[in-house]
């Protein structure tokens, strides 16, 4: 069963032209993730440090996020280039406190694990770019 054309589309627009060449009109779609200030404050760390933070966040919610806050003071970059280093540091401390305080109801623990996974993902993207390796994620 073939899908029917949507409203405003003709059936002939979906088929290639009769002359043997397909129409050359195309649409380029760009998707950009919009991050909030707390999520954008996650630092791009070296891969081993990110894995350690994920491990810490898995067993002690918020501890890995707390450690990652200090990597910002050591020069790790974030997606917040227009903010001062101290502001980004305190945003990471705030995220760690939220994870610790809400771990009682499991929300903070789950958030902490996802936060650690984001750290590893950002670290792997950063490593791929620096080494010129094509990314396969």
């Amino acid at each position: 069963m073939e899908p029917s054309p949507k409203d405003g589309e003709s059936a002939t627009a979906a088929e290639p032209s009769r002359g043997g060449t397909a129409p050359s009109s195309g649409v380029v779609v760009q998707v950009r993730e919009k991050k909030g200030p707390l999520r954008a404050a996650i630092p791009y760390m070296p891969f081993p440090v990110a894995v350690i933070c994920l491990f810490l966040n898995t067993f002690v919610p918020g501890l890995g996020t707390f450690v990652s806050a200090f990597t910002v003071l050591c020069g790790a970059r974030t997606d917040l280039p227009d903010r001062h280093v101290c502001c980004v540091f305190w945003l990471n401390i705030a995220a760690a406190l939220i994870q610790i305080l809400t771990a009682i109801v499991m929300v903070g623990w789950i958030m902490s694990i996802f936060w650690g996974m984001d750290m590893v993902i950002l670290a792997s993207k950063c490593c791929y770019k620096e080494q010129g390796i094509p990314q396969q994620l």
Side-chain angles (χ1 to χ4, degrees):
M1 181 173 167
E2 294 183 33
S4 62
K6 295 180 181 178
D7 294 337
E9 291 181 346
S10 67
T12 58
E15 298 176 6
S17 63
R18 302 265 183 217
T21 61
S24 62
S25 65
V27 178
V28 177
V29 178
Q30 182 178 7
V31 178
R32 190 176 306 165
E33 181 183 5
K34 183 175 178 175
K35 297 179 179 180
L38 220 54
R39 181 72 79 179
I42 298 175
Y44 288 85
M45 299 176 279
F47 191 76
V49 177
V51 171
I52 290 169
C53 288
L54 171 61
F55 181 78
L56 291 173
N57 270 349
T58 302
F59 294 105
V60 182
L63 184 60
T65 307
F66 185 75
V67 169
S68 75
F70 289 97
T71 64
V72 173
L73 296 178
C74 294
R77 65 181 180 84
T78 64
D79 289 332
L80 294 172
D82 55 333
R83 299 234 177 145
H84 194 268
V85 174
C86 289
C87 179
V88 177
F89 170 76
W90 287 112
L91 281 171
N92 279 294
I93 296 295
L97 288 175
I98 290 169
Q99 292 168 7
I100 292 167
L101 294 175
T102 58
I104 299 167
V105 290
M106 297 294 289
V107 174
W109 193 16
I110 294 168
M111 178 186 173
S112 184
I113 293 170
F114 278 111
W115 217 261
M117 290 181 352
D118 281 344
M119 289 178 203
V120 171
I121 290 168
L122 288 176
S124 66
K125 286 181 182 179
C126 183
C127 289
Y128 282 124
K129 286 181 184 177
E130 287 176 0
Q131 297 173 359
I133 300 171
Q135 188 174 354
Q136 298 177 359
L137 293 177

